[in-house]
Amino acid sequence: MSSSSSASSSNSSVGGSYGGLKPNPDTTLTCTPPDNDIISSIRSLASWKPHHSVLGITLITLGALCFSCMFLFVKLLKDTADTFTLAFYRALVEIPIALTFCWRSGEHPLGPRQPRQVRTWLLVRGGVGAAAVLCFFYAIQHLPLPDAVTLQFTTPPFAAAFAVCLAGERWHMLDMVGAVVCLLGVMLIAHPSWLFANDASNGNSDSADSSSNASQEDYTDIAIVTALLGAAFGGLAYTSVRKIGHDASANVMVLYYSVLSLPVTIAGGLGFVGDWRVWRGSSSSSGGGGSSFSP
């Protein structure tokens, strides 16, 4: 009697746990493997890599951040080193780094021989890149840092224009709108005297102050034009990278730029400053000649 009651209780518990369905004792429970689609989905998620466009945008953003930090140090070193000296040291540091990466990847430092135009575009990229850096450094040392950095970021409209002319890319309506907005922002930052009224020219100040202000405005205008010229050189450098494509790596491009920057900075220092000093404090005999073509 007790066994029947225990059996009925066990059956009721089984029925309660299975919702009234009693398991068949003749059947065996088997563990089926997961579906192949699930396994492939998990593997695809584990081996996911970002799309090339997403990776490119991320790298460009990080590069812009690094450039902003570099510009900050250029501004802080205004009273210590001139434009050509800073560009010289920048290239001097980049050369061993680029050579090391070329050696590790097994690349020829001069780039591939074929196609022939690759090395030509590498030279163009290195030359205009060196000119762009010099222009940016000069603008940073003679303009407020936010204004100089903002003017430096006018490179995309120039790059888009050069890409249409040299790389055969299309100029879309969105590109045109972005270029116009960018140029309007530049005008608001540069505040040109021919567009905005000059409050200082009211005749109330003395001649010495007015001449000093006019001279300072001239130097500011030169710095603004130099910054825009650097943005144009930077746009041409980006277009050169597009023309090079995958025929040469970024290591080779940086090496070309660094090597070409050395003679450019030395010649610029001799031509604009009048002498060449690796560091301003290295020669105290020459008075006040340390600033590169500066006011």
Side-chain angles (χ1 to χ4, degrees):
M1 191 69 173
S2 61
S3 62
S4 61
S5 62
S6 62
S8 61
S9 63
S10 63
N11 290 334
S12 62
S13 62
V14 171
S17 61
Y18 287 95
L21 298 176
K22 296 181 180 181
N24 190 356
D26 296 332
T27 60
T28 58
L29 298 177
T30 58
C31 181
T32 59
D35 193 3
N36 292 329
D37 295 336
I38 300 177
I39 297 177
S40 61
S41 300
I42 295 175
R43 289 178 178 176
S44 62
L45 289 175
S47 61
W48 179 83
K49 293 182 180 180
H51 194 266
H52 290 292
S53 60
V54 178
L55 180 61
I57 293 173
T58 303
L59 293 177
I60 289 177
T61 305
L62 292 176
L65 178 61
C66 293
F67 264 94
S68 299
C69 296
M70 178 186 65
F71 292 159
L72 175 61
F73 287 106
V74 171
K75 189 70 172 180
L76 294 176
L77 292 173
K78 177 184 177 180
D79 297 329
T80 305
D82 58 55
T83 301
F84 298 104
T85 302
L86 294 175
F88 174 82
Y89 274 98
R90 182 178 188 267
L92 200 64
V93 172
E94 287 178 337
I95 289 177
I97 297 176
L99 284 175
T100 301
F101 279 103
C102 288
W103 173 73
R104 291 188 61 181
S105 59
E107 299 173 281
H108 197 283
L110 297 179
R113 295 184 177 179
Q114 297 295 334
R116 294 181 178 180
Q117 64 269 19
V118 173
R119 291 189 176 182
T120 302
W121 282 109
L122 284 171
L123 290 173
V124 172
R125 188 261 176 272
V128 297
V133 170
L134 287 174
C135 291
F136 288 148
F137 282 8
Y138 175 80
I140 288 169
Q141 290 189 337
H142 297 88
L143 287 175
L145 185 58
D147 295 353
V149 173
T150 304
L151 291 173
Q152 187 267 336
F153 286 127
T154 59
T155 299
F158 291 103
F162 284 122
V164 172
C165 299
L166 300 176
E169 297 188 1
R170 292 184 177 182
W171 184 272
H172 300 284
M173 181 60 66
L174 186 60
D175 299 328
M176 297 178 62
V177 173
V180 171
V181 172
C182 184
L183 293 178
L184 289 176
V186 170
M187 294 178 66
L188 292 175
I189 293 173
H191 209 275
S193 58
W194 54 268
L195 185 61
F196 296 91
N198 190 1
D199 298 333
S201 61
N202 52 11
N204 295 328
S205 58
D206 54 12
S207 59
D209 292 339
S210 62
S211 61
S212 177
N213 292 332
S215 177
Q216 186 65 32
E217 288 179 359
D218 291 339
Y219 285 123
T220 302
D221 293 339
I222 293 174
I224 292 173
V225 173
T226 304
L228 293 177
L229 186 61
F233 283 134
L236 184 56
Y238 287 137
T239 306
S240 303
V241 173
R242 170 70 72 177
K243 293 291 292 184
I244 295 170
H246 297 285
D247 294 330
S249 67
N251 305 325
V252 178
M253 297 181 197
V254 173
L255 182 61
Y256 266 80
Y257 154 75
S258 305
V259 173
L260 289 176
S261 294
L262 295 181
V264 170
T265 54
I266 296 175
L270 293 175
F272 289 96
V273 181
D275 62 349
W276 171 250
R277 288 178 291 168
V278 178
W279 200 252
R280 178 176 294 188
S282 62
S283 176
S284 59
S285 59
S286 58
S291 181
S292 61
F293 55 105
S294 62

